[in-house]
Amino acid sequence: MASLNVKIIYRFLGITAILNGFFMFISFPFSFFNDEKAAWGILNAGIITVLIGALLYYFNKPNNTNIQKKEGYLIVTLGWLTLTFTGMLPYLLSGTIPNVINAIFETISGYSTTGSSILTDIETMPKGILFWRSATHWIGGMGIIVLTIAILPLLGIGGMQLFMAEAPGPSADKLHPRITDTAKRLYLIYVTLTFAEFFLLKAAGMTWFDAINHAMATVSTGGFSTKNSSVAFYNHLPFVQYIIIFFMMVAGTNFVLTYFALKGKIQKVFQSEEFKYYLFGIIGVSAIVTVIVHHFQDPTLSSSIVHPKIWGELEYAIRHSLFMVTSVVTTTGFVSADYTTWNLFATGIFFALFFTGGSAGSTSGGVKIVRHIIMLKNSFLEFKKALHPSAIIPVRYDGKSVQHQIVFNILSFFIIYMLIFILSSVILTLFGMDFFSALGAAASSLGNIGPAVGSVNPVANFNHLTDAAKLFCSFLMLIGRLELFTVLILFTPFFWRKN
């Protein structure tokens, strides 16, 4: 379209592809030095991806480098699709996932940091491919930081303006000249957290390969593991699981608050309403689940990954309750135990947690805690307004009044989110899923969580779904990761009108 700066869009897609290819080259040695056949497939995928990126970049030199809102929406959505269609090449060319639909699902699950998988025997996969799987998480997590800091606030995506209040500069406009500086600082935090967790996991008993993979998957709140039983493989190493719990909590926290914490400004962290709800919410729900697990576990249910001789120990119940609650709230998706075998009430609690999400400005998916806070506050104010209809009472967050437009945006987001969840659950039943499993798959995919309920529970995977169901879940993962509006607006006729 004449109204779109197409060359700047292609140029951004070119940069995206080049960076993607670079990470494929990093994955190559893991297979090459282990004498794996997959090595050359990974290398060829990297070469093809870099060539595609180079062509897009060098043959599209725009006269105008300004990015308008329309270009912004297209860059975000097409950027993720570029990552997907180039990112599945290592799977296809190495022959590890020869089915295109399965490769698309695994790739989108990686970049969207969902963590759902179609692989039935992860431990037999080549090391280069396992590293690439984890790298897709890490790349996706980095991309989410850029989106949150640089693009979504400028596009007016629901709720992100509240996050911007904590970032350098009081408004999106004033932040704009400092986007590069801000992104560099957050990247540095992202990389630092990854290496810190890597060294701690190695010291706690993981192999160096497992440690780097789990570190990348944790900091990005992704959830891909190198083990078939996920982190339950390390049930005999409690310190490993406590390290992952800590870093899941950090990764689910607003990265700007993490920056303040590293600068020694701890008071700023605990002044954040969202952080207090986030932290004490996880602790509170974990305490409830611990009581259920320790005293009211259903004896008719059994778990393939829980050791019965030590299950009665309080520490074991606390650790796994805290681990699984944190994993679901932060949408990481690691598994230390199968919560669907604990108690039906516990299963209900975890299903409700599918709709929470982590903090705005984190790598977590889902609705986000801040949106729930604003919606609850607005609902209580409606009760007051019913008694005092003439009163002007603004919604206040972190001691500041929230603009009506932001409140309306958040309410619209949640309504659309729940509508998509309901419709998706019904649609998945058309693709052969039972309704309970369809509910779990829809909530998990839209919230970028990973483990769900029913036939896609924490010890199962998505391989048994039909190709149509896999593609539909891939679409849900994409729109959930990109905050719904970013993708859905492209399907509206007024987006494409010249104005």
Side-chain angles (χ1 to χ4, degrees), residues 325-499:
V325 169
T326 306
S327 180
V328 172
V329 169
T330 62
T331 72
T332 305
F334 277 139
V335 174
S336 70
D338 184 359
Y339 52 74
T340 63
T341 66
W342 287 344
N343 180 286
L344 290 177
F345 182 50
T347 303
I349 289 174
F350 279 99
F351 185 76
L353 292 178
F354 289 173
F355 301 93
T356 55
S359 303
S362 72
T363 56
S364 293
V367 176
K368 302 293 192 305
I369 302 292
V370 65
R371 288 193 176 104
H372 287 291
I373 296 172
I374 299 299
M375 286 189 294
L376 285 171
K377 287 191 172 188
N378 185 66
S379 297
F380 284 122
L381 282 183
E382 289 301 319
F383 294 137
K384 287 186 178 180
K385 290 176 182 177
L387 294 173
H388 308 285
S390 300
I392 301 175
I393 313 171
V395 176
R396 303 189 71 82
Y397 173 76
D398 278 348
K400 302 173 184 176
S401 60
V402 180
Q403 296 176 14
H404 288 299
Q405 183 57 44
I406 294 176
V407 176
F408 295 151
N409 196 303
I410 290 172
L411 292 173
S412 299
F413 176 92
F414 189 72
I415 291 169
I416 294 173
Y417 189 97
M418 295 307 297
L419 181 61
I420 291 173
F421 162 67
I422 294 168
L423 291 175
S424 299
S425 301
V426 175
I427 290 171
L428 285 172
T429 62
L430 292 176
F431 300 143
M433 296 189 73
D434 66 272
F435 191 59
F436 188 56
S437 300
L439 288 172
S444 172
S445 299
L446 192 58
N448 307 122
I449 296 161
V453 294
S455 65
V456 287
N457 64 65
V459 294
N461 61 33
F462 285 67
N463 186 55
H464 63 281
L465 271 61
T466 63
D467 285 349
K470 289 172 187 172
L471 280 176
F472 187 72
C473 286
S474 299
F475 174 71
L476 292 179
M477 287 188 277
L478 179 66
I479 64 173
R481 179 74 283 181
L482 300 183
E483 300 282 319
L484 302 187
F485 295 165
T486 316
V487 179
L488 297 181
I489 196 172
L490 302 184
F491 294 93
T492 59
F494 50 80
F495 179 85
W496 301 100
R497 287 176 191 157
K498 297 179 182 180
N499 45 29

Side-chain angles (χ1 to χ4, degrees), residues 37-77:
K37 293 181 180 178
W40 303 110
I42 296 171
L43 181 62
N44 290 334
I47 293 171
I48 292 170
T49 301
V50 169
L51 284 176
I52 291 171
L55 290 172
L56 285 171
Y57 183 82
Y58 286 108
F59 288 97
N60 289 285
K61 295 182 180 179
N63 297 321
N64 181 7
T65 58
N66 290 328
I67 301 174
Q68 303 301 320
K69 280 197 173 186
K70 283 191 176 183
E71 285 88 1
Y73 286 114
L74 284 168
I75 286 170
V76 172
T77 303

